[in-house]
Amino acid sequence: MIDQVETNLYKLELPLPENPLRSINCYLIKGPERFLLIDTGMNREECLKEIDGDLKRLSVDLNNTDFFITHLHADHIGLISKLAAGNSRIYFNRIEAGRVKGEDFWKVVQPASLANGFPEHEIKHFLEEHPSRRYGPQADIVFSLCSDGGNITVGDYSLSCTETPGHSPGHMCLYDANKKILFSGDHLLGDITPNISALGILNDEDPLRDYFKSLERIYALDVDMVLPGHGGLFNDHRQRVREIKKHHQMRLDEVVSILKDRRSLTPYETASRMTWDINGKWPDFPVTQKWFATGEALSHLIFLRNKGVVNKKMLGGVWHYLRKSSRHDKSEAEQAGI
């Protein structure tokens, strides 16, 4: 589906079959000499057929097309190896350039998941079905690496590369200060909150802390229109930032409450007690949703531990988190502040 957003700017909505997100937004900018496509969709036939038809209807020559990929997830980068021509520039962040093939991720994610309480039979099934394995790019990619503050010019669009880690370690938005347009990828979504997961992190990272910092950075920008990776376009980005921060504050309070009066819980056990916008009870959740929920629970636990609100200890080869004792009535999560 094609929607014209502005002069020489189009939104291409591609299907994501069997995915709760349902679709992904890619954006095409037409320049006098070259085109720029922002994100690509998954490497599966349904996406390829849709985007191929859209590009033909817009008279796009892929031999004169460059690409900007907001982050490494398969629904954003999957088709790049099938769409990019030999002379295409593929703009991508430095942090994730070495992670696209996922070798380090696959080495880390299974033991990390088990160490955070995920059942072995479930994680094995999840990894076999992981979208990055099934629908990621199938060829080596030569990237034009972007640095924070770097500029990409297409016609009268002047796009500043803006680092916004959190949803992924190297997530990057594009911001046009003159037109006051933000291409937000999965950093800022209007209809749902982006998943902030700590499962499979390669170092001692704190993705939720990084996400809060990125939200503050975007909050300070002068934006009239946000073009997200999923869902509808929206205008009041500062209101959306406030809503998302409030959501995570409630999540932090919920995690602290769950740990109250319990000796200790694994991240998987914590996630099973949290409130999720999914029909049914935890045992009936699809394994994929359990994995994302556990990763989100873990990111909140790491944030609270780094703020001194909870501790963690290893029991039987699995990490358990427990609430520190407090003499104060005020919520510990509130004291930690975001």
Side-chain angles (χ1 to χ4, degrees):
M1 181 186 300
I2 303 172
D3 288 321
Q4 184 164 0
V5 179
E6 296 279 346
T7 303
N8 293 323
L9 171 58
Y10 301 85
K11 182 183 85 166
L12 314 182
E13 186 176 355
L14 312 182
L16 294 176
E18 304 167 4
N19 188 301
L21 292 172
R22 298 185 180 179
S23 65
I24 179 172
N25 302 327
C26 305
Y27 297 95
L28 178 78
I29 301 176
K30 285 187 170 185
E33 298 179 354
R34 297 188 69 81
F35 306 95
L36 180 71
L37 184 65
I38 301 170
D39 289 335
T40 69
M42 282 185 174
N43 184 12
R44 55 185 299 168
E45 189 60 34
E46 297 91 339
C47 288
L48 180 60
K49 180 179 179 181
E50 183 73 22
I51 198 168
D52 185 58
D54 288 350
L55 294 175
K56 286 179 179 176
R57 282 189 285 275
L58 291 169
S59 301
V60 173
D61 181 358
L62 288 173
N63 291 307
N64 293 319
T65 301
D66 298 319
F67 299 82
F68 179 89
I69 307 298
T70 56
H71 62 294
L72 61 87
H73 294 157
D75 52 335
H76 294 259
I77 196 174
L79 276 176
I80 190 63
S81 53
K82 292 187 176 178
L83 295 177
N87 66 340
S88 295
R89 290 184 294 273
I90 305 170
Y91 300 104
F92 195 56
N93 70 82
R94 294 177 181 274
I95 293 173
E96 295 175 350
R99 303 188 186 186
V100 170
K101 283 227 164 187
E103 297 305 321
D104 288 336
F105 176 80
W106 299 120
K107 291 176 184 177
V108 169
V109 68
Q110 182 164 349
S113 298
L114 294 174
N116 284 290
F118 216 95
E120 186 171 6
H121 69 282
E122 289 191 338
I123 192 60
K124 182 179 179 181
H125 172 75
F126 168 71
L127 292 178
E128 290 173 352
E129 299 297 316
H130 197 285
S132 291
R133 275 189 165 165
R134 298 182 66 189
Y135 305 123
Q138 300 301 311
D140 291 333
I141 306 167
V142 178
F143 293 114
S144 294
L145 298 179
C146 301
S147 297
D148 186 51
N151 189 263
I152 301 171
T153 301
V154 189
D156 63 348
Y157 289 82
S158 180
L159 307 167
S160 177
C161 301
T162 307
E163 289 182 351
T164 49
H167 175 68
S168 73
H171 191 288
M172 188 170 277
C173 299
L174 288 176
Y175 173 58
D176 190 317
N178 294 323
K179 295 182 181 294
K180 300 181 181 180
I181 292 175
L182 177 70
F183 297 89
S184 66
D186 280 0
H187 173 63
L188 201 61
L189 304 173
D191 304 316
I192 58 174
T193 55
N195 178 248
I196 311 299
S197 177
L199 273 180
I201 58 177
L202 305 181
N203 301 299
D204 188 20
E205 300 170 14
D206 188 339
L208 187 57
R209 175 201 61 201
D210 295 341
Y211 186 59
F212 289 145
K213 290 180 179 178
S214 298
L215 286 176
E216 288 299 322
R217 185 176 193 195
I218 294 303
Y219 189 93
L221 299 178
D222 189 6
V223 176
D224 283 345
M225 181 167 53
V226 180
L227 282 63
H230 305 277
L233 282 58
F234 59 98
N235 304 112
D236 193 343
H237 77 296
R238 293 193 175 109
Q239 176 61 25
R240 187 57 184 147
V241 167
R242 289 192 291 268
E243 291 169 353
I244 291 176
K245 289 180 68 176
K246 181 179 180 181
H247 163 82
H248 285 290
Q249 183 67 67
M250 293 172 63
R251 276 269 185 254
L252 290 165
D253 287 337
E254 182 181 28
V255 169
V256 170
S257 178
I258 287 169
L259 294 179
K260 183 179 181 180
D261 298 329
R262 293 188 174 90
R263 293 177 60 188
S264 64
L265 291 175
T266 69
Y268 181 88
E269 291 169 336
T270 304
S272 73
R273 291 162 169 81
M274 293 171 67
T275 304
W276 304 103
D277 191 18
I278 304 175
N279 292 328
K281 297 182 178 180
W282 179 262
D284 302 321
F285 283 15
V287 175
T288 299
Q289 298 307 313
K290 287 183 180 181
W291 192 84
F292 285 121
T294 301
E296 182 110 357
L298 178 57
S299 70
H300 287 73
L301 288 165
I302 290 173
F303 181 86
L304 289 168
R305 179 172 180 263
N306 288 339
K307 291 289 187 178
V309 178
V310 302
N311 284 328
K312 75 172 183 176
K313 61 182 178 179
M314 181 70 77
L315 296 173
V318 179
W319 287 113
H320 289 68
Y321 287 79
L322 59 159
R323 179 178 172 180
K324 284 187 176 181
S325 60
S326 175
R327 298 178 182 177
H328 304 287
D329 293 332
K330 187 177 180 182
S331 124
E332 285 90 340
E334 200 173 35
Q335 292 179 59
I338 58 173

